[in-house]
């Protein structure tokens, strides 16, 4: 079908747009026809475009293509090599461009998948919402607190589906953990900890520069966007995570995954109250502003959370919830709940300093209140229980499928911009504390992070 033919979904979009566009849509650059809320009729394919087709952009493109009822129609990237990669993964001819606005102008795009560096997430999300596109935006949702709120506004004002790309929100393992947490089986959970560590150059984002990278093959000025102007630097282009102008370092890259899981499991719907970080650049010392080790203690109303990312030692990704009745651990795709031994026991420690007579009387009294069970009265003591995702399970596909379902049904996404804002703000707080060497406090009333 070419752009001049109008099918059922475009007819719906156009007629709704005609009613609403004049009064309520304040467009940036894209055309008004696309600006009204509309869905993809049941049975129609969700036609999507990828914006940013680097490592993650290609990963989520492939995930989207594995979801039922989807079709890729276009891709945008700033580097020729990645446009070639996008065409290869698409497996069919698609429209490609270095200007994402050309994607938003297209009538045949229902949704965009944004996997650019962090400093472009907000701008493209806002423009895409204004253009009537639904948005899957990679984590961390925002580069600043202000951007996070602007993205929520864009989602709400333009009535778009916005889903953030921290895939553990759709994981069956985390869903089970949430169920266990909510059941009270862990008792009162006052402490949570998680870490995600790596020990190689790739983990530290010291990626190789492709040999054909140059100002001829890369649109450097577009990469910079609103970041400070500087001359072409392939290190900044390909290792952008190391620089604060474009990325959020370890908190944005890895904390957000852990935070997304913990917010989901523990039912957290707001940023933490306070954050205190320490860390440093210990080993990956060249061309880097972001620490290669960071440790943060977060204050949430009902528990305290310790997060760590270390790029100088490999260990399994793990999160642990410490409750008065049990400990829950998620290590990679395995969830284990280990009950605490809460059976009544006589005091053994402090009575060691009592005289024999008092010790004996105490223990006799205790036994009177806690008689040994009679034969036939014994009950089982619960022990550790484990749950594991089946082989080949990929929560990335479930997460993308949830997005596609929201696009069709117009039901809110499982990880919408409000959810993404809360975890992104936690990451921003961790960075604020690290770089300002202070305790970071979240001021909800004024929507800002401040020094405690
Ligand atoms: N959910 C996950 O598990 C996961 C994993 C990796 C990365 N990510 C996130 O995905 C995003 C991208 O990370 P990556 O590792 O793929 O980075 P990358 O450097 O491999 O790819 C980013 C691509 O964006 C392109 N780009 C930059 N500005 C653009 C613009 N204005 N318009 C169009 N394209 C633009 C670049 O040319 C580059 O090819 C980041 O936000 C990152 O945090 C998420």
């Amino acid at each position: 079908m070419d752009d001049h033919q109008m099918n059922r979904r475009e007819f719906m979009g156009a007629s709704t747009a005609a009613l609403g566009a004049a009064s309520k849509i304040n467009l940036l650059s894209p055309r008004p026809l696309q600006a009204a809320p509309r869905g993809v009729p049941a049975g129609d394919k969700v036609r999507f475009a990828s914006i940013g087709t680097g490592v993650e952009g290609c990963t989520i493109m492939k995930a989207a293509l594995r979801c039922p009822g989807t079709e890729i129609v276009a891709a945008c990237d700033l580097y020729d090599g990645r446009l070639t990669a996008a065409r290869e993964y698409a497996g069919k001819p698609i429209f490609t461009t270095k200007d994402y606005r050309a994607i938003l102008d297209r009538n045949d795009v229902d949704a965009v998948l944004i996997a650019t560096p962090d400093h472009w997430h907000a701008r493209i999300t806002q423009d895409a919402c204004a253009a009537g596109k639904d948005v899957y935006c990679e984590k961390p949702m925002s580069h600043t607190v202000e951007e996070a709120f602007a993205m929520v506004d864009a989602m709400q004002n333009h009535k778009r589906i916005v889903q953030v790309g921290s895939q553990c929100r759709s994981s069956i393992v985390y869903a089970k953990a949430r169920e266990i947490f909510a059941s009270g089986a862990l008792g009162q959970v006052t402490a949570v900890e998680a870490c995600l560590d790596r020990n190689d150059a790739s983990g530290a984002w010291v990626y190789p520069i492709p040999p054909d990278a140059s100002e001829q093959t890369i649109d450097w000025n577009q990469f910079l966007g609103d970041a400070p102007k500087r001359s072409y630097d392939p290190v900044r282009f390909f290792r952008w995570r190391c620089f604060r102008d474009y990325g959020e370092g370890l908190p944005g890259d890895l904390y957000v995954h852990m935070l997304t899981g913990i917010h989901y499991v523990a039912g957290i719907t707001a940023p933490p109250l306070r954050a205190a970080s320490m860390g440093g650049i210990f080993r990956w010392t060249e061309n880097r502003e972001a620490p290669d080790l960071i440790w943060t203690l977060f204050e949430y109303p009902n528990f305290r959370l310790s997060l760590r990312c270390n790029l100088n030692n490999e260990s399994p990704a793990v999160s642990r919830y410490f409750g008065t009745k049990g400990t829950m651990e998620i290590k990679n795709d395995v969830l284990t709940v280990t009950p605490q031994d809460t059976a009544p026991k006589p005091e053994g420690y402090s009575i060691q300093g009592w005289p024999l007579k008092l010790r004996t009387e105490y223990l006799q009294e205790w036994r009177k209140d806690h008689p040994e069970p009679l034969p036939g009265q014994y009950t089982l003591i619960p022990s550790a229980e484990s749950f594991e995702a089946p082989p080949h399970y990929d929560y990335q596909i479930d997460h993308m499928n949830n997005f596609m379902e929201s696009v069709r049904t117009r039901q809110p996404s499982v990880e919408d911009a409000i959810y993404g804002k809360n975890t992104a703000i936690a990451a921003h707080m961790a960075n604020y504390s690290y770089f300002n060497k202070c305790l970071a406090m979240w001021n909800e009333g004024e929507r800002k992070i401040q020094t405690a």
Side-chain angles (χ1 to χ4, degrees):
M1 191 202 71
D2 68 38
D3 278 358
H4 303 292
Q5 295 169 311
M6 190 178 270
N7 69 9
R8 183 160 62 107
R9 85 171 94 198
E10 280 157 347
F11 174 76
M12 289 170 62
S15 44
T16 331
L19 290 173
S23 56
K24 55 184 176 184
I25 307 299
N26 178 18
L27 277 174
L28 301 173
S29 52
R31 70 174 68 156
L33 185 68
Q34 290 292 314
R38 68 189 171 86
V40 174
D44 280 10
K45 285 192 168 173
V46 176
R47 298 167 304 177
F48 72 90
S50 293
I51 301 178
T53 57
V55 179
E56 183 64 4
C58 287
T59 303
I60 58 176
M61 181 204 292
K62 286 185 279 177
L65 287 172
R66 282 185 57 191
C67 296
T70 61
E71 180 184 359
I72 182 162
V73 292
C76 169
D77 200 276
L78 304 184
Y79 163 46
D80 289 343
R82 279 170 171 169
L83 286 176
T84 304
R87 281 190 290 267
E88 288 167 357
Y89 286 119
K92 64 165 197 171
I94 52 168
F95 170 77
T96 54
T97 174
K98 286 187 178 168
D99 182 355
Y100 73 90
R101 289 165 304 184
I103 299 258
L104 303 187
D105 276 345
R106 290 179 69 91
N107 280 326
D108 61 355
V109 173
D110 302 308
V112 292
L113 315 184
I114 302 172
T116 63
D118 308 346
H119 70 305
W120 267 105
H121 290 179
R123 171 87 179 275
I124 301 176
T125 297
Q126 287 171 275
D127 286 354
C129 288
K133 312 299 183 196
D134 294 323
V135 173
Y136 181 102
C137 178
E138 266 309 331
K139 45 52 60 180
M141 188 179 88
S142 56
H143 194 38
T144 66
V145 168
E146 296 73 24
E147 284 182 359
F149 282 98
M151 293 168 87
V152 171
D153 287 347
M155 173 184 79
Q156 292 176 335
N157 293 342
H158 299 292
K159 298 189 169 47
R160 303 320 305 167
I161 300 299
V162 173
Q163 179 165 312
V164 181
S166 309
Q167 52 274 42
C168 67
R169 174 57 188 82
S170 295
S171 155
I172 53 174
V173 176
Y174 283 82
K176 184 68 187 173
R178 176 180 167 92
E179 186 189 308
I180 292 165
F181 191 100
S183 75
L186 304 179
Q188 187 183 5
V189 176
T190 55
V192 182
E193 69 178 16
C195 64
L196 216 173
D197 299 335
R198 296 164 169 178
N199 190 14
D200 58 24
S202 181
W205 319 313
V206 183
Y207 303 132
I209 313 285
D212 68 346
S214 74
E215 278 188 277
Q216 281 65 55
T217 57
I218 289 171
D219 186 340
W220 171 250
N221 277 331
Q222 179 75 349
F223 168 79
L224 289 178
D226 292 332
K229 298 290 166 226
R230 51 177 77 238
S231 50
Y232 171 69
D233 183 349
V235 169
R236 282 179 172 259
F237 185 83
F238 288 99
R239 301 176 189 168
W240 55 265
R241 282 174 174 83
C242 301
F243 303 96
R244 298 180 71 196
D245 285 341
Y246 326 113
E248 287 295 287
L250 284 168
D253 204 36
L254 301 181
Y255 274 10
V256 165
H257 285 299
M258 299 188 267
L259 287 159
T260 300
I262 290 159
H263 280 210
Y264 178 43
V265 169
I268 301 294
T269 55
L273 305 171
R274 294 190 297 172
S277 300
M278 277 195 200
I281 302 178
F282 292 92
R283 174 189 183 196
W284 305 98
T285 49
E286 278 176 37
N287 294 318
R288 184 178 211 102
E289 295 163 354
D292 60 26
L293 167 76
I294 185 162
W295 222 306
T296 305
L297 193 59
F298 293 96
E299 180 181 347
Y300 286 88
N302 294 331
F303 59 82
R304 307 295 177 257
L305 164 67
S306 155
L307 293 187
R308 185 194 73 220
C309 288
N310 183 6
L311 300 180
N312 309 309
N313 174 275
E314 182 84 36
S315 58
V318 68
S319 54
R320 293 191 187 92
Y321 301 76
F322 300 100
T324 50
K325 293 188 191 162
T327 305
M328 180 165 69
E329 178 184 271
I330 305 173
K331 191 185 278 184
N332 298 324
D333 264 355
V334 181
L335 166 64
T336 308
V337 182
T338 311
Q340 294 273 293
D341 181 2
T342 53
K345 286 174 223 49
E347 170 69 18
Y349 175 71
S350 64
I351 62 168
Q352 291 174 89
W354 293 10
L356 177 64
K357 177 173 177 296
L358 292 186
R359 276 204 321 266
T360 309
E361 285 170 3
Y362 165 80
L363 290 171
Q364 284 166 350
E365 262 324 284
W366 190 92
R367 183 48 72 201
K368 264 197 237 155
D369 293 340
H370 303 87
E372 277 285 345
L374 295 171
Q377 286 182 345
Y378 281 90
T379 52
L380 287 170
I381 302 167
S383 68
E385 199 179 3
S386 277
F387 305 85
E388 193 168 348
H392 312 303
Y393 173 68
D394 184 348
Y395 57 0
Q396 178 82 73
I397 311 276
D398 272 2
H399 199 49
M400 187 57 74
N401 197 48
N402 280 339
F403 171 66
M404 296 299 175
E405 278 301 296
S406 288
V407 170
R408 285 192 195 92
T409 62
R410 312 316 292 167
Q411 293 304 306
S413 141
V414 293
E415 190 187 359
D416 67 6
I418 298 171
Y419 197 111
K421 163 186 74 68
N422 294 333
T423 52
I425 288 173
H428 301 326
M429 290 170 71
N431 276 328
Y432 183 101
S433 171
Y434 173 79
F435 286 106
N436 294 304
K437 296 183 169 33
C438 68
L439 197 56
M441 194 159 81
W442 175 239
N443 184 330
E444 181 69 36
E446 295 184 31
R447 293 180 164 190
K448 68 174 191 187
I449 302 169
Q450 63 192 42
T451 306

